[in-house]
RNA sequence: GGUCCCAUAGACUAACGGUUAGGUCACCACCCUUUCAAGGUGGCUGUACGGGUUCAAAUCCCGUUGGGAUCACCA
């Protein structure tokens, strides 16, 4: 049987990094097995509709390099792929469940439910809908139920969970899981607005879409017994389940907005490469037993297996993400990086050619972790000198340097500004003037960049060019002496 | 609190009964060096605890402790 998996987010307005990992694992699993990966939008909660959220989700997923075979945009044989457009389907299966005595009508109001909750809480009993005392088709009787339905009284459809026994299901990452049926609630399947809850919609769609493997976050583990029961009640084969370990905050709680950025868009906007984010997130909860860390999407596809998914949650530690981003920064071609950075440069009022930008990026890439940092780091390569770092100047400059540096300036004036000649000239000059190479270089650094920190000076001068470099040296000489 | 899940260093992880417990990030030191990085070398820190099973346990079993998830007409 060929593999069919799905990523089924609810459109909340952004893509959570945990969602990115779930989507990624589904995608990797599908590609690894030559299967199909589906995007399905779970928007059955009308109270939480966010305009344009589904499009944003698709856009971000595509940015990350995750492509779906079927979905709202690409269509497919099992559409529509948006749950709110599948409305009638859920009512039909809710009716089936009713006929099979696997579900029932309930008429309780919110107040009545609250009262029951309070009663149970006071009695120290675990919360569970008590179908023997509440207002539903069992306690009300057939005639009253029919009457209420006829007059369109507010009602929901609940699933009928066995009162005793055990429910068990297999999980590909955790093995067999068994829970006492008496601890499973009579979940609402169809809300009073006739929309399904997640539990109903989810299993109906997964079945109808031929989903073979349900790969989702661990937070769904507690409700999986309900899903298993529903598949059984409808006489459907259960898909294989794989519950992924959670992504965690530094304090080990479920990764949340409160403790930092959780949206993929946040990381994208902060300048992380999609390759780095994907690579990083792939290794949180899964590891191919290799002693390497850098994997392309293709390499991830080739090595991904569900068997290697971990059970324990993983802290989302951005320190390693920073390092990984730096690795990709070193891997990419300067010209590609320049093209990527150009828009931001323009936005910051920096007008420069792709070629020059590429050379500057190559100059500083080892010293930064994110591409956009190249701009502030090497600001002096794009704009006139903004001044000199006082502390650095105080440390480097002494009046005794005036004479030799003036000499050096004249020598530089007659020198080709290439790495080789500049290196030879500065080294020779250091020797004959008796100055340490470090002093010569740092003084040039002060005069040309104004900063204490930067790339190799001869490289910097070569790229900046003779004209600009000499302008700065002479200006510094005039200002310092 | 009920139910379920989980447990190798500060973080991510390798190990599928036999290894001096391996790798990566971070951290520290040294080398390189023109500052800062990068790179190289080395180092620090770990099988939560207690019982079993076994010739042999990080690994299997039980318990304890700790952590987490979940318990809506949200997904």
């Amino acid at each position: 049987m060929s593999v069919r998996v799905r990523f089924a987010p609810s459109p909340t307005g952004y893509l959570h990094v945990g969602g990115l990992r779930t989507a990624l694992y589904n995608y990797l699993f599908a590609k690894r097995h030559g299967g199909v990966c589906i995007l399905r939008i779970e928007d059955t909660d009308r109270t939480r509709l966010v305009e344009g959220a589904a499009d944003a989700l698709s856009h971000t997923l595509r940015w990350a390099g995750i492509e779906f075979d079927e979905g709202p945009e690409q269509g497919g044989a099992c559409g529509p792929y948006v749950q709110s457009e599948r409305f009638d389907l859920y009512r039909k299966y809710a009716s089936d469940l009713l006929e099979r005595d696997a579900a029932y009508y309930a008429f309780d109001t919110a107040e009545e439910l609250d009262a029951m909750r309070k009663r149970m809480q006071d009695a120290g009993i675990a919360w569970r809908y008590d179908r023997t005392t509440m207002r539903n088709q069992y306690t009300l009787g057939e005639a009253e139920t029919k009457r209420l339905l006829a007059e369109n009284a507010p009602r929901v459809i609940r699933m009928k969970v066995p009162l005793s026994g055990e429910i068990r299901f297999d999980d590909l990452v955790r093995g067999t899981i068994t829970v006492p049926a008496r601890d499973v609630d009579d979940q609402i399947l169809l809300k009073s607005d006739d929309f399904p809850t997640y539990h109903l919609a989810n299993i109906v769609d997964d079945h109808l879409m031929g989903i073979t493997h349900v790969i989702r976050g661990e937070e769904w583990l507690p409700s999986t017994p309900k899903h298993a029961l529903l598949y059984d009640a409808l006489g459907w084969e259960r898909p294989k389940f794989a519950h992924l370990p959670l992504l965690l905050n530094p304090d080990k709680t479920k990764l949340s907005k409160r403790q930092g950025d959780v949206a993929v868009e946040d990381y994208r906007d902060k300048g992380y490469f999609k390759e780095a984010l994907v690579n990083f997130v792939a290794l949180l909860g899964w590891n191919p037993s290799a002693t390497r860390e850098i994997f392309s999407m293709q390499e991830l596809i080739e090595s991904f297996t569900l068997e290697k998914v971990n059970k324990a949650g993983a802290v989302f530690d951005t320190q390693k993400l920073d390092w990984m981003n730096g690795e990709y920064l070193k891997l990419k071609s300067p010209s590609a990086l320049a093209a990527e950075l150009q828009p931001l440069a323009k936005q910051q009022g920096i007008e420069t050619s792709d070629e020059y930008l590429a050379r500057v990026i190559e100059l500083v890439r080892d010293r930064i972790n994110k591409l956009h940092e190249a701009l502030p780091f090497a600001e002096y390569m794009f704009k006139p000198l903004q001044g000199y770092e006082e502390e650095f100047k105080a440390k480097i400059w002494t009046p005794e340097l005036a004479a030799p540096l003036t000499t050096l300036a004249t020598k530089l004036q007659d020198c080709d500004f290439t790495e080789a000649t500049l290196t030879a000239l500065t080294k020779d000059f250091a020797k004959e003037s008796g100055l340490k190479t470090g002093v010569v270089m740092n003084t040039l650094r002060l005069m040309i960049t104004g900063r204490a920190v930067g790339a190799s000076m001869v490289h910097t001068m070569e790229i900046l060019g003779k004209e600009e470099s000499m302008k700065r040296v002479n200006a510094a000489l005039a200002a310092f002496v």
Side-chain angles (χ1 to χ4, degrees):
Chain A
M1 184 174 52
S2 88
V3 164
R4 289 176 64 84
V5 296
R6 87 298 196 275
F7 175 56
S10 69
T12 54
Y14 64 94
L15 178 61
H16 192 281
V17 288
L20 171 67
R21 193 199 52 175
T22 302
L24 179 65
Y25 284 12
N26 272 285
Y27 175 76
L28 296 177
F29 185 72
K31 293 300 142 193
R32 175 80 172 76
H33 293 94
V36 168
C37 190
I38 297 168
L39 176 65
R40 184 175 72 221
I41 302 297
E42 310 226 330
D43 60 345
T44 54
D45 186 357
R46 295 190 301 173
T47 64
R48 299 213 299 195
L49 270 190
V50 177
E51 195 69 31
D55 289 341
L57 227 34
S58 295
H59 184 263
T60 304
L61 255 1
R62 190 173 301 114
W63 170 80
I66 296 173
E67 303 281 350
F68 294 95
D69 303 295
E70 298 174 25
E73 291 176 6
Q74 39 285 301
C78 301
Y81 293 90
V82 176
Q83 288 188 330
S84 58
E85 294 168 19
R86 300 168 66 80
F87 190 76
D88 295 335
L89 248 25
Y90 310 118
R91 297 190 61 183
K92 173 184 181 303
Y93 289 103
S95 304
D96 278 9
L97 257 2
L98 247 18
E99 274 168 34
R100 291 161 185 257
D101 194 32
Y104 59 91
Y105 287 110
F107 302 90
D108 315 275
T109 63
E111 293 71 33
E112 290 168 329
L113 290 169
D114 285 345
M116 177 186 69
R117 261 182 216 117
K118 188 164 188 317
R119 250 183 285 126
M120 295 185 122
Q121 194 180 321
D122 291 347
I125 305 168
W127 150 255
R128 188 187 195 282
Y129 181 83
D130 182 355
R131 63 175 176 258
T132 66
T133 60
M134 301 300 287
R135 295 177 58 229
N136 54 56
Q137 71 178 67
Y138 301 117
T139 56
L140 263 22
E142 202 176 319
E144 176 67 359
T145 299
K146 273 195 174 138
R147 192 187 65 75
L148 285 169
L149 289 176
E151 71 180 31
N152 255 319
R155 52 64 182 145
V156 300
I157 295 177
R158 285 182 180 271
M159 69 179 289
K160 188 179 181 185
V161 177
L163 297 172
S164 62
E166 286 180 333
I167 304 167
R168 64 175 58 216
F169 63 93
D170 293 316
D171 185 277
L172 258 20
V173 347
R174 284 150 221 281
T176 301
I177 292 170
T178 308
V179 319
R182 68 172 169 283
D183 291 314
V184 177
D185 193 27
D186 279 8
Q187 189 63 236
I188 288 177
L189 263 16
L190 205 68
K191 303 181 239 180
S192 53
D193 63 3
D194 265 358
F195 268 75
T197 57
Y198 171 84
H199 308 282
L200 209 219
N202 169 67
I203 66 118
V204 167
D205 288 344
D206 282 346
H207 175 72
L208 262 25
M209 293 180 181
I211 300 303
T212 56
H213 301 257
V214 171
I215 303 170
R216 72 216 320 183
E218 188 188 337
E219 66 267 32
W220 294 108
L221 205 49
S223 52
T224 305
K226 294 166 189 168
H227 305 162
L229 243 28
L230 289 171
Y231 283 107
D232 295 351
L234 287 163
W236 294 344
E237 186 185 347
R238 286 146 52 158
K240 301 224 178 297
F241 294 103
H243 287 93
L244 273 18
L246 259 17
L247 256 32
L248 273 22
N249 291 311
D251 70 358
K252 304 268 188 185
T253 55
K254 188 161 108 173
L255 189 62
S256 68
K257 228 173 181 169
R258 253 288 160 68
Q259 299 189 37
D261 290 320
V262 297
V264 171
E265 292 85 345
D266 290 335
Y267 289 92
R268 182 196 60 201
D269 295 346
K270 280 199 283 188
Y272 290 99
F273 293 121
K274 61 178 190 247
E275 294 91 338
L277 227 209
V278 163
N279 192 157
F280 175 65
V281 117
L283 262 20
L284 251 28
W286 170 80
N287 188 290
S289 303
T291 54
R292 54 186 279 227
E293 307 283 327
I294 305 299
F295 293 88
S296 67
M297 185 68 94
Q298 190 54 39
E299 289 168 330
L300 290 174
I301 290 170
E302 283 158 13
S303 44
F304 187 81
T305 61
L306 247 19
E307 289 70 36
K308 293 256 177 205
V309 171
N310 287 124
K311 296 179 178 70
V315 173
F316 191 85
D317 175 19
T318 53
Q319 234 171 9
K320 192 165 180 177
L321 173 60
D322 285 337
W323 165 80
M324 201 172 266
N325 204 70
E327 292 299 298
Y328 278 95
L329 192 56
K330 286 168 206 151
L331 246 37
K332 295 189 170 209
S333 83
S335 60
L337 291 170
E340 195 172 336
L341 188 57
Q342 194 61 272
L344 183 63
K346 284 210 168 60
Q347 199 180 307
Q348 295 187 6
I350 296 169
E351 288 294 337
T352 185
S353 68
D354 282 2
E355 292 69 30
Y356 183 76
L357 189 52
R359 296 187 77 194
V360 174
I361 289 169
E362 197 168 13
L363 181 71
V364 305
R365 78 203 308 192
D366 281 347
R367 293 164 172 79
I368 56 178
N369 277 328
K370 294 181 205 122
L371 180 56
H372 66 78
E373 290 167 357
L375 266 17
F377 188 91
E379 189 185 19
Y380 51 81
M381 298 300 282
F382 305 110
K383 297 179 179 176
L385 255 204
Q386 305 291 311
Y388 307 96
E389 276 183 27
E390 278 311 318
E391 205 177 319
F392 184 50
K393 185 187 164 197
K395 189 175 158 197
I396 292 301
W397 182 258
T398 55
E400 296 81 68
L401 251 25
L405 259 295
T406 304
T407 307
L408 177 59
T410 54
K411 284 176 185 279
L412 283 169
Q413 195 63 56
D414 296 328
C415 172
D416 267 350
F417 265 47
T418 64
E419 188 205 341
T421 51
L422 283 169
T423 301
L425 187 143
T426 47
K427 291 264 154 84
D428 288 350
F429 177 76
K431 204 169 288 174
E432 59 197 51
S433 68
L435 291 172
K436 283 185 177 171
T437 310
V439 171
V440 173
M441 294 300 183
N442 273 328
T443 307
L444 286 172
R445 184 180 303 286
L446 171 69
M447 297 194 293
I448 294 171
T449 75
R451 308 249 188 107
V453 166
S456 148
M457 256 337 275
V458 294
H459 276 130
T460 303
M461 290 164 72
E462 181 189 23
I463 294 169
L464 233 204
K466 187 195 269 189
E467 190 186 337
E468 181 63 23
S469 298
M470 292 317 296
K471 205 171 105 190
R472 294 185 188 185
V473 169
N474 291 324
L477 245 15
F480 294 173
V481 177

